[in-house]
Amino acid sequence: MPVQSKTKKSTASNQQEKKTKIDFDKKILFATSEAVPFIKTGGLADVAGSLPKALVDGGVDCRVILPLYMDIKQELRDKMTYVGNLYVNLSWRYQYCGLFKAEIDGVTYYFVDNEYYFKRSGLYGYFDDGERFAFFARAVIECIRLMDGFAPDIIHCNDWQTALVPVFLDVFYRGDDLYKNIKTVFTIHNIEFQGRYSGFMSGDVLGLPAWAREYVDFDGDVNYMKGGIERANKVTTVSQTYAQEILNSYFGYGMNNILVNRQFKLSGIINGIDVKSNDPKTDKYAYTNYDLKSFELKSENKTAFQKDLGLPVDKNIPMIGMVGRLTHQKGLDLLSPVITRILDMGVQLVILGTGDYKYEEMLRSCQSRYPGNLRALITFSGELASKIYCASDMFLMPSKFEPCGLSQMIAMRYGSLPIVRETGGLKDTVIPYDYTTGKGTGFTFYSYNAYDMLNAVERAVGMYRDYKQDWQKIVNNAMTQDFSWKNIALRYVNLYKEL
């Protein structure tokens, strides 16, 4: 597909955002299995790249530690320097652990080196993932000994891959002066993935004494996430609504009863987005850059994208975008039975993503029957994602569950109004439009029902066509929302202060 971006430079947008000093003098070690710009498979990497940066910009000493994967690009490896090495006990194992570090944009990143565990293609999906990330969790703690005098006051752990850090810290290290006062935070980014393995691993891999195995025992298995929930001083998740949803069985994936008993330390903090890289005024993939003051230029993106996609070129045709995995979680079960009803409205629907074969085939079949209305781009491309945000008038996210979601926030920043189900972070970030007050940032529906979703789409398309003044009000509301990490970092600092 041809790329014809003409970027209009903006001095104001390129200026360094004013940094606000954060009143917090404690040291944070952010433990994660992935982080931008080094390695990414999902939203965790974006958080691990953005939250520590926002904290550091505010003057907080926050550093990040992750595995040294084989897939980290050589130009990034070239920025790393060797710190030292030691050996890590993992039950009867005695494993080498090297430590490297690099500084990017003021943030210090540490990398745990063990080629047996991490010199492999990809990050996850191996038969010994349980052992690999148990080693990493133990290595996070041990490597503090090598960190040039950096002794964290708080270790912030993320998802099951680092959930054992609070467990190991309490069981093996509290008698050591270096570790006795360290507090822990455990953030659940997606409760569906828990790190659940055979019960024999408590002793053979984790090396836990009999009295401590209850921390990770779950129906006879070992459950890493349960251990993190049990032993961390604070447990967070990535939106306020999701923090409440996971207390019931529909969303909790078996963890709900444990979380109900730990509500006193559970809270939800919405993720932010990188407002510099997600900016229609500077986006290098935009056909024509624009902002709220020059919003009329957005239609130039639509007509150029229509031409590239081979769709009828008409700026007045409503365009609905979708970007994400084609799975049941993302609401494809709702889209399937009513997609032809949506296309019969005369809209253009552009969907980008890969996923379950049945959904990919459904979209290909519909595209063959509606060649002037549907484009199914069965791939993933950051460039195409940007073009969809720039060109679309509406952005559809009918998720079954959505712990946080970033796409709806990015879409609003680009003036593409979200149509979302009221769940998780979607509910917390998208305000349904109220005709009487003129407040709201998008269109919502509550029930996980295809026809409720269809009704929301009909409302959005109807307003776009018939109520231009109201439409522009929502665009103004959406594009002026502040989803920057600077504000989110302050909320995390308040959480840290409670410790």
Side-chain angles (χ1 to χ4, degrees):
M1 185 176 299
V3 179
Q4 300 173 351
S5 301
K6 52 178 182 178
T7 304
K8 297 177 181 177
K9 294 183 179 179
S10 167
T11 303
S13 296
N14 291 331
Q15 288 178 345
Q16 189 74 13
E17 187 176 337
K18 186 177 180 181
K19 296 177 181 178
T20 304
K21 178 71 175 176
I22 296 174
D23 180 22
F24 188 69
D25 62 356
K26 303 301 182 183
K27 298 176 181 178
I28 312 296
L29 182 61
F30 197 88
T32 177
S33 60
E34 54 186 87
V36 168
F38 296 96
I39 198 83
K40 175 180 176 178
T41 66
L44 170 59
D46 294 313
V47 175
S50 299
L51 175 55
K53 174 69 164 59
L55 290 168
V56 168
D57 285 348
V60 178
D61 191 351
C62 179
R63 308 187 187 187
V64 183
I65 186 166
L66 67 155
L68 183 58
Y69 296 107
M70 183 180 75
D71 287 354
I72 294 176
K73 293 179 179 178
Q74 187 60 46
E75 58 262 34
L76 292 170
R77 287 175 173 269
D78 291 341
K79 299 178 184 292
M80 300 178 191
T81 58
Y82 176 73
V83 176
N85 72 84
L86 43 71
Y87 282 81
V88 172
N89 289 316
L90 199 63
S91 187
W92 49 268
R93 299 162 188 79
Y94 193 58
Q95 292 281 21
Y96 170 84
C97 172
L99 188 67
F100 290 77
K101 74 174 182 178
E103 185 174 312
I104 304 289
D105 292 334
V107 181
T108 298
Y109 295 84
Y110 293 103
F111 303 87
V112 171
D113 177 36
N114 180 292
E115 292 190 350
Y116 174 70
Y117 290 128
F118 301 122
K119 192 176 182 180
R120 313 179 186 188
S121 178
L123 278 63
Y124 319 120
Y126 289 94
F127 75 96
D128 60 344
D129 277 358
E131 181 179 331
R132 295 171 69 221
F133 289 101
F135 164 79
F136 176 60
R138 191 87 188 246
V140 166
I141 302 170
E142 288 287 348
C143 283
I144 293 171
R145 304 183 193 276
L146 301 174
M147 291 182 180
D148 307 319
F150 174 79
D153 299 288
I154 299 168
I155 303 177
H156 189 152
C157 308
N158 295 271
D159 274 350
W160 70 267
Q161 294 92 341
T162 56
L164 290 176
V165 171
V167 177
F168 288 151
L169 195 60
D170 283 355
V171 174
F172 297 117
Y173 294 90
R174 289 305 186 188
D176 188 319
D177 286 344
L178 181 61
Y179 300 103
K180 65 181 182 180
N181 294 319
I182 293 177
K183 306 296 185 182
T184 53
V185 175
F186 177 57
T187 295
I188 301 168
H189 296 264
N190 191 335
I191 204 167
E192 183 177 4
F193 305 106
Q194 300 176 0
R196 187 168 178 174
Y197 300 100
S198 174
F200 87 93
M201 291 184 64
S202 280
D204 186 68
V205 175
L206 309 188
L208 295 175
W211 61 267
R213 294 180 185 179
E214 65 176 354
Y215 299 151
V216 296
D217 178 70
F218 186 74
D219 291 340
D221 291 339
V222 165
N223 189 305
Y224 290 10
M225 182 173 285
K226 184 201 172 199
I229 293 169
E230 292 278 11
R231 302 314 305 166
N233 300 110
K234 291 285 186 180
V235 179
T236 76
T237 190
V238 289
S239 70
Q240 300 94 314
T241 296
Y242 193 60
Q244 295 302 310
E245 288 177 338
I246 58 178
L247 299 177
N248 69 64
S249 58
Y250 183 79
F251 294 97
Y253 285 89
M255 287 289 104
N256 46 292
N257 289 331
I258 294 163
L259 286 164
V260 165
N261 292 326
R262 300 289 181 272
Q263 282 188 73
F264 64 91
K265 60 180 178 181
L266 174 65
S267 60
I269 300 176
I270 198 77
N271 286 336
I273 59 172
D274 185 336
V275 295
K276 291 182 181 178
S277 61
N278 296 298
D279 186 348
K281 194 166 185 176
T282 57
D283 193 322
K284 64 181 180 180
Y285 295 126
Y287 296 92
T288 303
N289 291 110
Y290 64 96
D291 59 10
L292 184 55
K293 292 181 180 179
S294 58
F295 186 72
E296 68 279 0
L297 297 177
K298 181 176 172 68
S299 63
E300 295 183 16
N301 287 278
K302 184 197 290 189
T303 53
F305 199 36
Q306 288 170 330
K307 183 178 179 181
D308 276 354
L309 294 176
L311 291 168
V313 178
D314 184 345
K315 69 177 184 179
N316 294 313
I317 297 176
M319 180 181 285
I320 303 173
M322 285 186 73
V323 176
R325 290 177 290 114
L326 305 179
T327 65
H328 73 283
Q329 181 208 330
K330 297 299 182 180
L332 272 293
D333 286 339
L334 299 190
L335 182 63
S336 296
V338 297
I339 187 169
T340 57
R341 294 275 297 270
I342 293 173
L343 297 174
D344 284 337
M345 296 180 200
V347 304
Q348 292 175 344
L349 180 60
V350 182
I351 300 177
L352 172 67
T354 61
D356 295 349
Y357 179 75
K358 64 179 180 179
Y359 299 127
E360 292 181 359
E361 285 302 294
M362 178 271 292
L363 292 173
R364 289 189 180 104
S365 174
C366 283
Q367 179 175 294
S368 68
R369 288 179 285 142
Y370 289 82
N373 299 87
L374 175 63
R375 283 297 176 269
L377 308 174
I378 310 299
T379 181
F380 187 78
S381 159
E383 177 178 348
L384 288 174
S386 282
K387 290 182 182 298
I388 289 174
Y389 290 125
C390 287
S392 60
D393 303 295
M394 290 152 261
F395 194 87
L396 182 60
M397 288 184 73
S399 302
K400 186 175 185 180
F401 65 94
E402 194 69 62
C404 175
L406 300 179
S407 295
Q408 80 280 9
M409 292 186 270
I410 297 171
M412 282 188 269
R413 187 157 172 77
Y414 281 72
S416 178
L417 300 186
I419 305 169
V420 304
R421 192 170 93 81
E422 294 178 13
T423 183
L426 301 179
K427 182 177 180 180
D428 291 341
T429 55
V430 181
I431 305 165
Y433 182 67
D434 186 328
Y435 280 90
T436 58
T437 64
K439 295 180 179 179
T441 57
F443 304 85
T444 70
F445 63 101
Y446 178 73
S447 299
Y448 192 68
N449 179 283
Y451 291 93
D452 284 356
M453 181 197 75
L454 179 63
N455 176 263
V457 174
E458 289 172 339
R459 284 186 278 122
V461 172
M463 181 181 286
Y464 176 82
R465 285 175 168 155
D466 301 328
Y467 298 92
K468 292 293 187 181
Q469 190 172 355
D470 286 286
W471 185 266
Q472 193 57 48
K473 281 183 184 177
I474 312 180
V475 168
N476 293 344
N477 296 342
M479 293 186 73
T480 52
Q481 295 294 300
D482 185 356
F483 295 117
S484 67
W485 273 104
K486 181 174 67 176
N487 291 332
I488 305 304
L490 291 172
R491 297 184 62 184
Y492 274 103
V493 166
N494 290 333
L495 178 83
Y496 297 150
K497 286 180 178 179
E498 292 178 12
L499 295 174

